[in-house]
């Protein structure tokens, strides 16, 4: 399989265009990046920031780096790829004293280079580079690309607290050696304020003097200026030492200072030429779940009230830390280097209803609903109706994402636990009583209906922050509706207990197919979908639902062909083609491993059902189908710009660097798969179900043999299932999850067939 994949990428990489567009005319303007650690959505919607909020485009920014640390987030923002870093205390002006001595002397000792005069230095950059050696990220890539293009950089400010320097802006903007051309980041950027946290606040008068002293970019002045405003971070660190009312007053004062800074910048910049990015590189602490989504805003050239969108997420209102550096470069007409995995951000105006479809814009009642059961920290409150529509929508995305991630583990663990108990009872009944499952068949059918129930529950009228009970009720009722409808259809079409499972497979396949064809809105907000917080996938069909889909199509094949052996073949072919095609389509399922595994399983299963027997040539046709899907998906991705999904980006890397990236990713996927097999609860589901099937095979070989010989369509589906399990595991970086969820649909049909055969015998 790996050989076929390598051939697909090699062929397309050699004949496809580069995919990079010609650089537009470079802007003569300036881009200011205001970094505000600990900025929350409640801060954004507060009255102090209303003027800026109304004129900007907004999004939730996933700030996760290679590690869950603040330093990793800053390093990732500047690398355009997930980077590792441990320290934020190594940024100094060239003449500033560091613990090791004068910063310029330390820089020379560590790099062998002389520091430019008036520069700001990230002294830890050699260590950061070593920590990321051998990986995809290249720390300092943003600063290096700007310097290579002849564009100067500047930095001002810090998030220092007593005894703990915090100079993340330097790590963000420095080049590969650790150099920012000019700036101030030391204690001189703070002013004495007796009422401020720790008695220090950002010296805005000092910043304005620094700002006025910068030459225009056309005269060699800095084109990119990073400003680190640390007052909100200092307030959060100081809050445990202050009375709640005092802490809130200090928060408001910090917001007023930030609003004054933004207002001064907006009046100084030309919105037709310049731009301003407001970035929160550090998320607010949240008592409900780890939170990596922070506010991001763009004001100025090309911006208008709306949501920010990235090709890496395909979701208006959600972008990643990987996208910031490519966005800065694209602002000046520069093509991001190959090491950057992110893509430039664009603006979707609030007036563009078609582009914003499926973003679940909150109703007025939802926008005023409480965030959760815990009392929110300052800056966490959900904004009310006074906030701009773009902010309301971004907050709604944030709250819904956070609460789905909070509820998902308990809901899925409960489902798997119930399924394991039911499988154990079902196998024990079949072995001991040697007859049909009886009421256990209904239990298994209901548990199988929970898979599509997770999908359909997104249509619930409950607010997304209603708690675990509401989540359980949503999913349970959706599954009950699907199971009841399946039982009604099954009795009328098939007239026997297995008919419920065939109808359930049909409804499951139909729901996922329709959702994938219409853009995946249900998948996006499903408890069984992907997590926007973990950042492993933001679009398409994730492995959980992909496994359910593949299993449903295989079971549906049996049901259709047992009802209409010949006339049903075109319908089976349509269901299989829809599954493979939508999984492969870069703007649909965008699941390379799922599409290739599905075609490997479904082609021989269909041929075996058509002919009534299994032939060796069926596997050759499956291999050709695999190659066709791999080539077709890569070609489509490259034709759409080479960055629509990870497949096109990998093809571009292979074309540029040879097979090395393909080998690297294959090894990474195998390592991840091994960790999942060893640790995830899905492995238990897979192991227990397969073990139960093995026990039945050993305990009742004669009925199992009759079942295999006497039901050719079930035999064909069994062949497809036998191929799908290893194919899903080998071709997906979390394939054990897909293999396990596939069993939630396939196993009940298998147990029902075994029970029927045992009762006959």
């Amino acid at each position: 399989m790996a050989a076929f994949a390598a051939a697909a990428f090699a062929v397309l990489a050699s004949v496809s265009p580069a995919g990079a567009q010609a650089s537009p005319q470079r802007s003569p303007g300036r881009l200011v990046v205001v970094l505000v650690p600990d900025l929350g959505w409640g801060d954004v919607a507060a009255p102090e920031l209303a003027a800026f909020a109304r004129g900007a485009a907004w999004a939730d920014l996933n700030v996760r780096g290679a590690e869950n640390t603040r330093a990793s987030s800053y390093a990732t923002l500047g690398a355009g790829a997930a980077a590792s870093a441990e320290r934020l205390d190594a940024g100094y002006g060239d003449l500033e004293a560091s613990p090791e001595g004068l910063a310029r002397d330390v820089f020379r000792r560590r790099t062998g280079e002389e520091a430019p005069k008036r520069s700001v230095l990230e002294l830890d950059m050699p260590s950061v580079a070593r920590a990321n050696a051998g990986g995809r990220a290249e720390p300092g890539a943003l600063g290096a690309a700007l310097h290579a293009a002849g564009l100067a950089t500047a930095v001002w400010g810090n998030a220092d607290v007593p005894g703990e320097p915090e100079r993340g802006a330097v790590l963000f903007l420095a080049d590969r050696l650790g150099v920012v051309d000019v700036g101030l980041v030391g204690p001189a950027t703070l002013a004495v304020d007796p009422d401020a946290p720790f008695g220090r606040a950002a010296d805005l008068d000092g910043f304005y003097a620094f700002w006025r002293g910068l030459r225009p970019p056309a005269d060699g002045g800095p084109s990119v200026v990073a400003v680190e405003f640390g007052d909100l971070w200092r307030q959060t660190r100081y809050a445990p030492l202050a009375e709640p009312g005092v802490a809130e007053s200090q928060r408001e004062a910090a917001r007023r200072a930030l609003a004054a800074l933004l207002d001064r910048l907006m009046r100084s910049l030309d919105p037709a030429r310049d731009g301003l990015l407001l970035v929160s590189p550090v998320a607010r602490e949240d008592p409900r779940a780890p939170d990596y989504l922070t506010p991001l805003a763009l004001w100025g050239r090309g911006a208008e009230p709306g949501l920010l969108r990235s090709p890496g997420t395909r979701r208006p209102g959600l972008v990643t830390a990987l996208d910031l550096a490519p966005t800065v470069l694209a602002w000046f007409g520069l093509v991001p280097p190959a090491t950057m995995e992110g893509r430039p951000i664009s603006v979707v105006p609030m007036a563009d209803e078609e582009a914003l479809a499926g973003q679940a814009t909150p109703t007025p009642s939802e926008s005023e609903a409480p965030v959760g059961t815990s009392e929110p920290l300052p800056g966490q409150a959900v904004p009310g109706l006074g906030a701009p529509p773009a902010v309301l929508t971004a907050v709604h995305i944030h709250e819904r994402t956070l609460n789905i991630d909070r509820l998902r583990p308990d809901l899925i663990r409960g489902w798997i636990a119930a399924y394991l108990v039911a499988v154990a009872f079902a196998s024990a009944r079949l072995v001991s009583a040697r007859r049909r499952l009886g009421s256990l068949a209904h239990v298994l059918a209901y548990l199988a209906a929970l898979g599509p129930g997770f999908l359909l529950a997104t249509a619930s009228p409950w607010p997304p922050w209603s708690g675990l009970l509401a989540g359980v009720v949503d999913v349970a009722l959706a599954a009950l509706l699907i199971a009841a409808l399946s039982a009604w259809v099954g009795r009328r079409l098939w007239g026997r207990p297995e008919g419920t499972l065939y109808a359930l497979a049909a409804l499951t396949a139909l729901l996922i197919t329709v959702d994938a064809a219409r853009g995946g809105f249900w998948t996006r907000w499903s408890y069984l979908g992907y997590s926007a917080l973990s950042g492993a996938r933001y679009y398409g069909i994730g492995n959980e639902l992909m496994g359910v889909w593949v299993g449903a199509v295989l079971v549906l094949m049996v049901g259709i062909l047992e009802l209409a052996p010949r006339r049903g073949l075109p319908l089976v072919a349509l269901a299989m083609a829809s599954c493979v095609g939508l999984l492969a389509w870069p703007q649909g399922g965008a699941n390379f491993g799922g599409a290739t595994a599905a075609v490997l399983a479904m082609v021989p299963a269909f041929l075996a059902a058509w002919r009534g027997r299994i032939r060796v040539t069926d596997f050759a046709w499956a291999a050709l189908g695999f190659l066709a899907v791999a080539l077709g998906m890569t070609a489509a991705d490259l034709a759409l710009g080479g960055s629509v999904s990870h497949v096109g980006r990998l093809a571009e890397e292979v074309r540029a660097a040879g097979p090395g990236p393909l080998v690297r990713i294959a090894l990474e996927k195998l390592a991840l798969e091994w960790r999942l097999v060893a640790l995830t609860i899905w492995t238990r589901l897979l192991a227990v179900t397969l073990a139960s099937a093995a026990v039945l095979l050993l305990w009742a070989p004669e009925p199992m043999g009759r079942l295999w010989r006497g039901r050719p369509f079930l035999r064909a589906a069994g062949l497809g299932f036998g191929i799908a399990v290893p194919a899903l595991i080998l071709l997906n970086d979390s394939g054990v999850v897909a293999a396990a969820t596939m069993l939630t649909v396939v196993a009940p049909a298998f147990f029902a067939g075994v029970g029927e055969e045992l009762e006959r015998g």
Side-chain angles (χ1 to χ4, degrees):
M1 295 179 186
F4 280 118
F9 282 116
V11 169
L12 282 165
S14 63
V15 301
S16 60
Q21 301 299 313
S23 299
Q25 186 67 33
R26 182 177 300 168
S27 165
R30 172 175 281 162
L31 181 63
V32 181
V33 182
V34 180
L35 300 156
V36 188
D38 206 54
L39 178 70
W41 282 110
D43 298 313
V44 170
E48 295 87 357
L49 297 179
F52 176 80
R54 282 194 297 269
W58 292 90
D60 287 280
L61 173 70
N62 189 319
V63 294
R64 286 193 66 163
E67 300 159 347
N68 297 332
T69 65
R70 300 193 307 278
S72 179
S73 296
Y74 279 98
T76 298
L77 289 170
S84 299
E86 296 181 359
R87 301 172 55 188
L88 289 174
D89 60 355
Y92 293 92
D94 66 322
L95 297 179
E96 191 178 351
S98 77
E100 191 182 325
L102 200 63
R104 64 184 303 109
D105 296 336
V106 178
F107 180 81
R108 185 176 60 252
R109 278 196 297 270
R110 296 185 179 186
T111 67
E113 302 285 342
E114 291 291 341
K117 291 182 179 181
R118 299 184 62 211
S119 62
V120 176
L121 308 171
E122 174 55 55
L123 299 180
D124 201 39
M125 189 61 83
S127 298
V128 176
R130 271 195 303 275
N132 291 275
R136 304 183 193 181
E138 192 171 300
L142 173 59
L146 291 170
H147 285 164
L151 300 178
T153 55
V155 63
W156 186 94
N158 63 54
D160 292 0
V161 297
E164 297 179 27
E166 295 256 354
R167 282 92 184 268
V170 186
L171 182 59
F172 158 67
L173 196 54
D175 63 16
R176 294 188 184 97
L177 282 177
V179 176
V180 179
D181 295 305
V182 66
L184 290 172
V185 296
T189 63
L190 300 178
V192 175
D193 183 346
D195 296 324
F198 302 107
R200 295 290 186 274
D203 183 4
L204 295 188
D205 290 334
F207 169 73
Y208 301 148
F210 171 81
W211 177 258
R212 288 192 300 269
L214 295 177
R215 290 181 296 169
D219 296 335
S223 295
V224 179
V225 179
V227 180
E228 185 156 29
F229 180 84
D231 284 4
L232 291 174
W233 173 249
R234 280 182 281 269
Q235 184 275 330
T236 295
R237 295 292 303 274
Y238 193 76
L241 305 176
E243 290 288 339
V246 175
E248 181 56 39
S249 296
Q250 291 170 341
R251 190 81 183 182
E252 292 174 1
R255 285 197 296 261
R256 287 195 296 272
L258 175 59
L261 171 65
L262 295 174
D263 179 69
R264 182 65 172 263
L265 287 171
M266 288 190 295
R267 287 189 284 112
S268 303
L269 298 170
D270 180 357
R273 184 184 61 177
D274 303 320
L276 191 158
L277 277 166
L278 178 65
V279 183
S280 179
V282 177
R284 300 233 67 207
E285 292 184 4
D286 194 287
R288 295 165 291 170
D291 184 7
Y292 306 106
L293 299 182
T294 69
L296 172 70
L298 174 64
W299 174 93
R301 194 189 81 210
E304 60 180 295
L307 298 180
L308 298 172
R309 181 185 187 276
S310 162
T313 65
R314 306 187 197 172
R315 296 171 63 172
L318 182 63
V319 300
T320 74
L322 280 60
D323 299 318
L324 193 67
T327 300
V328 172
L329 295 178
W331 182 272
F332 298 100
L334 303 174
V335 177
T339 59
M340 291 187 179
E341 297 179 351
R343 291 295 182 268
I345 296 166
S346 59
V347 176
V348 179
M350 290 304 294
D352 191 342
E353 296 181 2
E354 181 178 353
L356 294 179
Q359 292 313 300
T361 304
T363 64
S365 61
E366 287 178 331
S367 68
E368 295 181 313
V371 176
T373 56
S374 301
E375 188 69 24
L377 299 172
Q380 283 181 319
V382 174
L385 295 178
V391 172
L392 280 177
T393 303
V395 169
H396 190 75
I397 292 170
H398 174 266
E399 292 299 311
R400 191 166 188 176
T401 298
L402 190 63
N403 282 277
I404 285 173
D405 265 64
R406 177 173 62 96
L407 300 180
R408 174 188 285 114
D410 291 335
L411 290 172
I412 290 180
R413 278 196 293 265
W415 179 37
I416 294 175
Y419 183 84
L420 290 175
V421 171
V423 166
F425 273 101
S427 57
R429 178 183 174 87
L430 291 174
V431 168
S432 60
R434 301 179 71 86
R435 57 193 176 91
R436 292 177 191 248
L437 294 175
S439 59
L440 270 175
H442 301 299
V443 174
L444 283 172
Y446 179 75
L447 291 173
L450 285 173
F454 279 112
L455 191 68
L456 192 60
T458 58
S460 163
W462 287 79
W465 39 71
S466 298
L468 180 61
L469 178 60
V472 171
V473 171
D474 286 345
V475 176
L477 290 179
L480 184 62
L481 175 64
I482 293 170
L485 183 58
S486 299
W488 183 80
V489 172
R491 282 196 302 268
R492 278 153 179 76
L493 290 182
W494 284 274
R496 64 178 196 271
E498 287 176 80
T500 297
L501 297 170
Y502 297 148
L504 174 60
L507 285 174
T508 300
L510 180 63
L511 282 172
I512 300 176
T513 301
V514 169
D515 185 53
R518 62 191 283 266
F521 171 70
W522 288 345
T523 300
R524 185 177 304 162
W525 298 115
S526 169
Y527 295 111
L528 201 59
Y530 35 78
S531 168
L533 289 180
S534 69
R537 171 181 280 269
Y538 295 97
Y539 55 82
I541 301 293
N543 285 338
E544 292 88 348
L545 283 171
M546 180 264 290
V548 172
W549 195 1
V550 172
V553 171
L554 289 174
V555 173
L556 177 61
M557 178 188 74
V558 180
I560 291 175
L561 296 182
E562 290 194 350
L563 196 64
R566 289 299 170 190
R567 289 180 299 167
L569 282 170
L571 189 56
V572 171
L574 177 62
M576 290 182 169
S578 298
C579 178
V580 173
L582 285 170
L583 283 173
W585 180 235
Q587 293 182 318
N591 193 318
F592 181 86
T596 50
V599 76
L600 282 172
M602 291 178 184
V603 167
F606 180 82
L607 293 175
W610 178 28
R611 297 181 179 131
R613 60 185 183 276
I614 300 171
R615 293 182 178 178
V616 175
T617 55
D618 296 345
F619 301 100
W621 283 109
L624 288 175
F626 173 92
L627 186 59
V629 169
L631 288 168
M633 189 172 182
T634 311
D637 207 346
L638 291 171
L640 292 168
S643 62
V644 175
S645 76
H646 59 286
V647 177
R649 293 197 292 271
L650 177 57
E652 288 184 340
E653 288 187 51
V654 170
R655 184 192 59 251
L662 190 64
V663 174
R664 183 196 71 231
I665 288 179
L667 293 175
E668 289 175 356
K669 287 180 178 291
L670 287 174
L672 177 60
E673 194 66 58
W674 176 252
R675 289 197 298 271
L676 283 172
V677 167
L679 299 175
T680 182
I681 192 174
W682 295 107
T683 304
R684 300 175 198 173
L685 189 154
L686 182 65
V688 169
T689 307
L690 293 179
S692 299
V695 168
L696 289 172
L697 181 61
L698 295 173
W699 194 267
E702 291 185 10
M704 294 287 284
R706 291 196 304 270
L707 186 68
W708 181 261
R709 293 188 300 271
R711 297 183 65 179
F713 303 130
L714 188 62
R715 181 172 68 240
L719 172 65
F721 168 74
I723 296 171
V725 169
L728 288 169
I729 292 175
L730 290 173
L731 292 169
N732 292 272
D733 51 11
S734 55
V736 65
V737 176
T741 56
M742 179 175 64
L743 280 173
T744 63
V745 184
V746 172
F750 168 75
F751 287 130
V754 172
E756 185 176 340
E757 196 61 39
L758 286 172
E759 195 163 279
R760 285 179 185 172

